[in-house]
Amino acid sequence: MSKTPPLPPVEWHADTGLTSYLDAHAEMQARAAAIRQGTAAERVWLVEHPPLYTSGTSANADDLIDPDRFPVFEAGRGGQYTYHGPGQRVAYVMMDLKLRGSDVRAYVHDLEDVMIRALAKLDVTSERREGRIGIWVERSDGTENKIGAIGVRVRKWVTFHGLALNVDPDLSHFSGIIPCGITDHGVTSLKDLGVETTMDEVDYLLRETFEEVFGRETIEV
């Protein structure tokens, strides 16, 4: 009885500097289309953006408190308003879900696990919360802050967009929106929690936990 051959490696690439959101959005869509056509490998692309806001398909216009503060882009992903900027690691994940049972819920759960496990390796306990998108940490005073966001789009079973983890962004920049429509909880970052790390270390941990969670080898390109 023949064994199913292993899936090819997922390309892994981290940009240096700040990446234009419009350029990233166009490249994501092009890569996703190529994956559907079988002409390109699956890819995880790590970037930092200049300060900006994005709106998801469920965004409420009233949640954009300061529309003139930073550029605002329609992302086409699920979810509401979010902020991207320097010090935040964004991972755009382009994968073929037909190779993973065509299960979008399981895919989102796995993306959450990637962040939760990576944070655990930095001794940060983070969790999901029922009814709240993203990854959350409990502060010493009992309040809960969001440290990681999830926003995905799936077209013909190929994913794009992905996750965003707050390493050391300017947290005041989140005040121009109501992040993900949630008013009762704030945002935090590794720096805000007193965790001293680097973007390179975070990238290493995300890659390590991605391979653990998805059971896929990655190859740096």
Side-chain angles (χ1 to χ4, degrees), residues 102-146:
S102 301
D103 191 331
V104 177
R105 286 179 181 267
Y107 169 69
V108 172
H109 188 276
D110 285 347
L111 284 184
E112 292 169 339
D113 265 355
V114 168
M115 280 198 286
I116 290 169
R117 292 190 187 199
L119 289 167
K121 292 174 187 285
L122 292 167
D123 295 322
V124 174
T125 300
S126 61
E127 300 174 298
R128 303 172 181 85
R129 285 291 181 263
E130 186 69 30
R132 285 190 250 144
I133 301 298
I135 300 303
W136 299 80
V137 297
E138 184 173 339
R139 310 298 294 258
S140 58
D141 62 0
T143 60
E144 293 181 340
N145 290 167
K146 188 174 187 175

Side-chain angles (χ1 to χ4, degrees), residues 15 17-29 45 47-57 70-78 80-85 88 90-92 151-153 160-164:
D15 272 8
L18 300 180
T19 302
S20 157
Y21 185 80
L22 286 178
D23 289 348
H25 195 269
E27 187 166 334
M28 269 194 296
Q29 293 192 82
W45 181 22
V47 305
E48 287 179 85
H49 289 304
L52 58 92
Y53 299 128
T54 66
S55 64
T57 54
F70 299 126
V72 182
F73 299 97
E74 291 186 9
R77 54 162 173 76
Q80 302 183 50
Y81 282 103
T82 193
Y83 166 77
H84 294 314
Q88 181 192 70
V90 177
Y92 292 128
V152 304
R153 178 76 182 271
F160 51 113
H161 295 287
L163 61 85

